[in-house]
């Protein structure tokens, strides 16, 4: 359990670092003084972004956060209905969020690449921990 929490924390920090360095306009950074953020910001010309750059800046941080959430939840997963429900809700969360953006129910930009990234993240984690997930969900 301790190892999963360490991995989860590391992924969360890595995803946050990408936001702090490249995408400082996000809501969770509004509480940090802008003069401090300006000192560490790395400017990117988004109009000339390659697919790799786009993925690294816009998709990877969310994938890292999603992986952190799932790994953390799997560390807490027990054989009771509440834990299973919370884990399944965690799995579905980013897909619901993207769907709500697509339907203009919440602010944000729907992105098929985000959906693909979430699916890929889920698949990788499932393949790495399929025995663990299977035992706990059945």
């Amino acid at each position: 359990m301790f190892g999963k929490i360490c991995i989860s924390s590391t992924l969360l920090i890595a995803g946050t670092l990408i936001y702090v360095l490249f995408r400082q306009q996000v809501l969770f950074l509004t509480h940090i003084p802008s003069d401090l953020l300006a000192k560490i910001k790395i400017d990117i010309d988004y109009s000339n972004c390659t697919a790799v750059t786009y993925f690294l800046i816009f998709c990877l941080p969310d994938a890292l956060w999603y992986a952190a959430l799932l790994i953390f939840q799997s560390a807490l997963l027990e054989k009771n209905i509440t834990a299973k429900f919370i884990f399944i809700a965690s799995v579905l969360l980013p897909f619901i969020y993207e769907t709500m953006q697509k339907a203009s129910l919440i602010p944000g930009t729907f992105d098929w690449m985000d959906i693909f990234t979430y699916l890929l993240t889920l698949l990788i984690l499932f393949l790495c921990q399929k025995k663990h997930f299977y035992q706990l969900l059945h």
Side-chain angles (χ1 to χ4, degrees):
M1 183 168 154
F2 177 74
K4 286 186 177 187
I5 292 173
C6 288
I7 291 169
S8 182
S9 299
T10 301
L11 294 171
L12 190 62
I13 290 167
T16 301
L17 189 59
I18 294 170
Y19 276 106
V20 168
L21 293 176
F22 299 102
R23 297 179 56 200
Q24 297 180 351
Q25 69 281 8
V26 293
L27 183 63
F28 79 93
L29 292 177
T30 58
H31 302 292
I32 299 174
S34 56
D35 56 333
L36 175 64
L37 288 173
K39 291 177 182 176
I40 58 174
K41 183 174 184 175
I42 298 173
D43 288 315
I44 299 282
D45 181 9
Y46 296 116
S47 63
N48 292 325
C49 248
T50 66
V52 172
T53 305
Y54 180 86
F55 176 80
L56 292 174
I57 294 174
F58 293 99
C59 299
L60 183 60
D62 292 341
L64 293 170
W65 282 8
Y66 185 46
L69 173 66
L70 295 180
I71 291 169
F72 182 76
Q73 287 294 330
S74 74
L76 303 177
L77 196 55
E78 300 172 8
K79 287 192 171 195
N80 67 55
I81 193 70
T82 304
K84 290 177 184 180
F85 176 78
I86 291 171
F87 180 75
I88 291 169
S90 298
V91 168
L92 297 175
L93 182 67
F95 302 101
I96 293 169
Y97 184 74
E98 285 292 324
T99 302
M100 292 175 71
Q101 287 178 351
K102 178 74 170 165
S104 299
L105 297 173
I106 60 171
T109 305
F110 173 82
D111 188 355
W112 282 108
M113 190 63 153
D114 285 343
I115 297 288
F116 172 75
T117 303
Y118 294 136
L119 286 171
L120 185 61
T121 303
L122 183 59
L123 178 65
I124 290 169
L125 288 175
F126 175 76
L127 291 174
C128 290
Q129 298 185 1
K130 65 183 172 185
K131 182 178 178 183
H132 176 71
F133 290 154
Y134 181 79
Q135 289 173 345
L136 290 171
L137 292 175
H138 286 90

